[in-house]
Amino acid sequence: MDSSSTIKSTPLHEILKCHLIFVHGKGGVGKSTLAYSLSQILSESKKTLLVSIEDPTLDPGIKKTINARFDHLNNDSKKSFEEYISIKMGSPLLAKLFFQNKLMQYLASAAPGTRELTLLGKIWYELKSYDHVVVDMPATGHGLTMLQAVQNWAKLFKGSIFAKDSEEIIRTLNNPKKTGNVICALPEEMPLVESLELYESLGRIIPHPLVSFIANRVFPLAISNNEAPTSLKPYSETALEHVIQKNKLENDNLKQWGSFLFLKIPYFEPYSTAQIQNQMVDYLNQQLKENKA
Amino acid sequence: MKSVLDCLQNKKILITCGVGGVGKTTVSAALAIKAAMIGKNVIVITIDPAKRLATSLGLKSLHCEPTDLTENLASALKQPIKGKFSALIPQSKNSFDRLVRSLSTSESVIQKILNNPILSTLAQEYSGANEYLALEELSYIEGLKKYDLIILDTPPSRNTLSFLSAPQTLSRFFEEKLVRWLVLPTNKLFSGGMKKVFGILENLAGQGFLKTLIDFGESMVVVQDTLLTKLQNTNALLKSKDTGFILVSSTNPDSADELRHFLQQIHNHNYSFEGVILNRSLSHLTKTQTDADTEPGVRVLLQIIERETQATRILKHHLTPELFFSKLPELSRDVHGLEDLAHVTEHFDH
């Protein structure tokens, strides 16, 4: 891993100017809550769409209205593929013939990246109806697959309608004025390193990506822990000891990458998803107002 | 009640599953270390784009072949190791090439497949083929007959289920008539209704695609039988009595839903389920009300512990007595190397 000097974190307020915003990160880091909170903040003044990718807990392909300026879509590859083909063919009847053909069904499920391309194609299609589209990306590897798939298709189907659309999507992705990224990680050593690896992988697909790094669930600590010695024991005995060690560890980890690389979001007391979302929205709004994000 | 140690003693293959971020890779490595300590010749395989295992095992670079780390382990633990401990972090390009080469003895067939754009995109790291390649690595290592126990850390995924159905999906794809359709004489292929459909496809995807597709079909029909046999063997390996599945879970109450789905899938596939490892448990910590009153961090921690208690109750409710339930307490420091992993293994004893 190169030193942090080669990695640039863009302030969150810059990312929030982008038309398309991808929220990346591993599973279980609070990515969905963050994506929801960012959408909520954007929708305070702009028309915003939050896109989830095939969330099994939501109805597939359904767009839900959260408020007048805030929609939430659960992007479904099958539904989006049918929609895409119907638009391209201009005739629902022809499209139906196409879908009922077994061979086409196989190809659609087997051609590498069809699923990912359709999901991204749908997002790109929705851009024209919204000021901002925030995408809650699938866990790390799968999210990159989605971006890689468009590049593959542009090459595989040179000169075709698919390729032209793919190239257009790539242009949007490559334009830092249009597309921004948020990489979210927990403040532990390996997740932080991984988020920088993700940045590198992203750079191989999109040159010079605009990225804001966020460390989520940073443990709060009221008393100063400066004097607390680093424990040599692998396990703590008391909750207080654990919190102090955890806080120390997190701060050391974050310092390693420079004090400004990661925007810190504290660990909100885990009551319910809605309550965490509210706390996160308030916190981020406060940070944005004070020019800290 | 079964224990983790029973599994390490009796099984030949253990597959760890779980959603991303639960610490599957750490748990897999710890299981392998424990197995080596009780005398097994063990290998841990992880297909992991983030190279986590390499970092925690102290592997300097990635090897496509197994690396024996027994001596590293012995010096980290400052004690002799009864068994042997190896690790493998395969790279998808390498697994893919080996898979293709195993399908045919003809160099021209191999080259044709390797050079087909459809298949070469499949081999790219983020092309979603990781599930298949993990299985390819498993059957390759099993075929070497060098190890008493193989621990396979499954690729990170949103859900645990995509891995479980990988062999079926792939063999169904090849078993169906797709490949045979594609090698029909061109006049037959492009007659009647098919002609219309192909016209549409050509319009959307371009002429080159159809040619690539037919080439793909031609290559596949040659190796189809070999590939199907291979997939059936892998499938049999997963269903074998010597193979067990382990779910690595977080302390989140959502994990109960995940377990329910997982059990259903395991049952549908006829796989053998061993038990649940609850990772990064905090229930061992003692707490006082004064700490909670003065320290917001402690308050947060207490709520996480409360959530864990709920999760544990629900998880246990879904587990039958012949399955194990093992808790691994969270270390008070980051898992850095073999020594930290060895601390984790101590908790497999109780």
Side-chain angles (χ1 to χ4, degrees):
Chain A
M1 176 68 47
D2 292 338
S3 75
S4 56
S5 60
T6 56
I7 295 162
K8 209 178 121 233
S9 181
T10 306
L12 188 62
H13 71 88
E14 289 290 334
I15 299 287
L16 292 181
K17 288 178 190 156
C18 292
H19 197 181
L20 177 59
I21 299 163
F22 291 114
V23 183
H24 308 263
K26 266 174 48 171
V29 300
K31 199 171 23 156
S32 299
T33 310
L34 178 62
Y36 192 98
S37 303
L38 293 177
S39 307
Q40 169 96 47
I41 290 170
L42 288 166
S43 72
E44 284 164 14
S45 59
K46 295 283 168 66
K47 204 172 169 218
T48 305
L49 175 70
L50 169 65
V51 181
S52 301
I53 306 289
E54 301 194 323
D55 185 335
T57 63
L58 303 169
D59 288 333
I62 300 296
K63 198 189 271 182
K64 222 170 63 184
T65 304
I66 310 283
N67 65 45
R69 283 184 301 269
F70 184 177
D71 288 339
H72 182 185
L73 167 75
N74 184 25
N75 198 352
D76 177 76
S77 59
K78 197 159 175 276
K79 290 248 159 68
S80 297
F81 186 63
E82 291 183 7
E83 192 182 334
Y84 176 73
I85 297 289
S86 302
I87 293 168
K88 286 296 154 187
M89 288 183 176
S91 147
L93 212 70
L94 262 185
K96 208 174 164 197
L97 175 77
F98 190 81
F99 292 122
Q100 282 174 352
N101 185 287
K102 244 189 157 182
L103 180 54
M104 290 308 123
Q105 284 175 9
Y106 287 135
L107 288 176
S109 64
T114 319
R115 193 183 146 264
E116 288 79 9
L117 179 75
T118 340
L119 290 168
L120 201 55
K122 171 71 174 169
I123 292 165
W124 175 71
Y125 180 75
E126 291 289 341
L127 276 175
K128 61 174 184 276
S129 319
Y130 292 90
D131 300 316
H132 297 286
V133 173
V134 179
V135 187
D136 178 10
M137 289 291 265
T140 306
H142 291 250
L144 291 176
T145 305
M146 210 161 91
L147 301 177
Q148 180 73 59
V150 224
Q151 316 272 344
N152 293 345
W153 277 65
K155 273 187 235 145
L156 266 181
F157 307 123
K158 259 190 197 123
S160 67
I161 293 176
F162 281 170
K164 274 186 212 124
D165 285 352
S166 300
E167 281 155 16
E168 181 113 26
I169 297 175
I170 293 170
R171 269 195 295 279
T172 307
L173 294 180
N174 286 356
N175 184 344
K177 285 209 176 89
K178 289 191 177 149
T179 304
N181 298 275
V182 175
I183 295 182
C184 180
L186 298 183
E188 292 159 23
E189 187 188 26
M190 263 200 258
L192 292 179
V193 172
E194 279 166 25
S195 72
L196 301 169
E197 282 175 0
L198 174 60
Y199 174 81
E200 288 184 349
S201 305
L202 194 62
R204 283 195 288 272
I205 302 172
I206 307 169
H208 318 296
L210 209 59
V211 178
S212 189
F213 289 95
I214 289 186
N216 193 22
R217 297 192 196 139
V218 178
F219 250 78
L221 198 71
I223 55 167
S224 162
N225 70 334
N226 286 340
E227 289 85 51
T230 303
S231 169
L232 295 172
K233 295 183 296 184
Y235 295 101
S236 305
E237 276 158 33
T238 69
L240 182 63
E241 194 186 339
H242 193 78
V243 167
I244 290 172
Q245 288 302 323
K246 205 171 164 79
N247 195 263
K248 207 176 171 62
L249 201 64
E250 289 180 352
N251 278 318
D252 288 350
N253 288 335
L254 287 165
K255 262 185 226 147
Q256 215 185 320
W257 302 105
S259 45
F260 301 112
L261 189 59
F262 288 90
L263 169 68
K264 295 179 215 169
I265 299 182
Y267 205 131
F268 298 115
E269 306 194 0
Y271 298 113
S272 71
T273 310
Q275 279 162 325
I276 294 174
Q277 273 159 4
N278 288 340
Q279 293 182 80
M280 198 182 273
V281 167
D282 290 347
Y283 179 81
L284 286 175
N285 265 331
Q286 187 67 30
Q287 296 287 308
L288 287 165
K289 215 171 88 189
E290 292 169 12
N291 296 322
K292 285 182 187 161
Chain B
M1 200 164 177
K2 229 192 319 202
S3 74
V4 178
L5 285 177
D6 293 336
C7 283
L8 297 176
Q9 248 351 319
N10 302 324
K11 296 284 168 176
K12 289 183 180 156
I13 295 175
L14 286 173
I15 299 173
T16 51
C17 301
V19 290
V22 293
K24 219 167 25 202
T25 305
T26 307
V27 171
S28 304
L31 283 169
I33 289 170
K34 187 74 202 178
M37 288 164 77
I38 61 170
K40 293 282 174 180
N41 180 1
V42 63
I43 182 164
V44 56
I45 309 173
T46 189
I47 300 214
D48 184 358
K51 325 287 183 240
R52 267 176 300 243
L53 186 68
T55 321
S56 53
L57 294 182
L59 272 177
K60 289 274 181 294
S61 61
L62 299 176
H63 302 272
C64 300
E65 289 299 318
T67 309
D68 189 333
L69 292 166
T70 314
E71 274 178 36
N72 296 22
L73 183 62
S75 67
L77 267 58
K78 299 183 188 71
Q79 57 167 290
I81 304 300
K82 268 208 241 161
K84 276 169 115 180
F85 171 65
S86 306
L88 170 64
I89 304 175
Q91 285 176 317
S92 53
K93 178 84 184 81
N94 188 277
S95 322
F96 179 74
D97 284 3
R98 196 181 54 226
L99 170 67
V100 171
R101 291 193 174 278
S102 72
L103 294 178
S104 172
T105 48
S106 151
E107 189 57 31
S108 69
V109 171
I110 292 170
Q111 284 309 323
K112 206 171 164 192
I113 299 179
L114 287 178
N115 293 327
N116 187 291
I118 294 190
L119 283 161
S120 50
T121 28
L122 262 182
Q124 285 173 11
E125 191 167 18
Y126 294 113
S127 290
N130 276 345
E131 277 89 357
Y132 303 131
L133 294 175
L135 292 172
E136 162 58 22
E137 283 302 324
L138 178 67
S139 74
Y140 167 68
I141 294 296
E142 200 273 339
L144 296 177
K145 304 285 176 205
K146 261 180 74 180
Y147 303 96
D148 306 329
L149 175 64
I150 303 169
I151 293 174
L152 178 69
D153 171 29
T154 55
S157 67
R158 184 185 190 103
N159 60 47
T160 46
L161 312 178
S162 60
F163 176 79
L164 298 181
S165 17
Q168 266 91 340
T169 315
L170 196 61
S171 42
R172 204 168 50 227
F173 173 62
F174 284 105
E175 261 160 358
E176 303 267 3
K177 295 194 181 98
L178 167 70
V179 173
R180 298 202 192 279
W181 266 340
L182 288 174
V183 292
L184 283 175
T186 319
N187 59 346
K188 249 190 173 167
L189 189 65
F190 294 106
S191 66
M194 286 304 288
K195 194 174 173 183
K196 210 163 197 172
V197 171
F198 270 111
I200 298 168
L201 185 65
E202 210 160 38
N203 185 24
L204 290 172
Q207 286 196 335
F209 178 65
L210 219 50
K211 169 85 175 63
T212 309
L213 196 63
I214 290 168
D215 279 352
F216 167 75
E218 279 173 1
S219 312
M220 277 300 126
V221 90
V222 179
V223 298
Q224 178 173 327
D225 292 340
T226 325
L227 184 60
L228 270 179
T229 313
K230 253 185 105 78
L231 286 170
Q232 275 153 10
N233 290 344
T234 309
N235 212 358
L237 205 58
L238 295 184
K239 286 191 198 311
S240 152
K241 289 239 173 316
D242 294 329
T243 301
F245 286 76
I246 292 173
L247 183 70
V248 183
S249 176
S250 67
T251 55
N252 196 316
D254 294 347
S255 52
D257 278 337
E258 193 202 328
L259 176 70
R260 239 195 332 265
H261 280 125
F262 186 74
L263 286 173
Q264 189 59 48
Q265 286 289 316
I266 288 277
H267 180 77
N268 293 349
H269 287 286
N270 252 323
Y271 297 147
S272 146
F273 183 51
E274 305 305 315
V276 175
I277 294 176
L278 186 74
N279 196 27
R280 303 181 66 167
S281 162
L282 294 166
S283 59
H284 63 288
L285 298 170
T286 55
K287 51 242 168 199
T288 66
Q289 194 51 48
T290 339
D291 290 345
D293 290 343
T294 52
E295 190 46 72
V298 172
R299 221 149 45 230
V300 170
L301 199 72
L302 293 188
Q303 278 163 358
I304 302 173
I305 295 172
E306 171 54 29
R307 206 171 56 172
E308 179 188 332
T309 314
Q310 287 170 24
T312 308
R313 199 164 45 229
I314 309 171
L315 281 172
K316 279 189 167 164
H317 176 76
H318 288 289
L319 292 175
T320 46
E322 73 273 14
L323 304 169
F324 69 73
F325 180 80
S326 178
K327 269 190 195 181
L328 297 180
E330 180 171 62
L331 284 156
S332 64
R333 56 191 197 216
D334 283 328
V335 175
H336 269 295
L338 292 166
E339 198 198 334
D340 290 332
L341 283 168
H343 285 301
V344 176
T345 66
E346 287 162 19
H347 299 274
F348 288 135
D349 294 330
H350 20 82

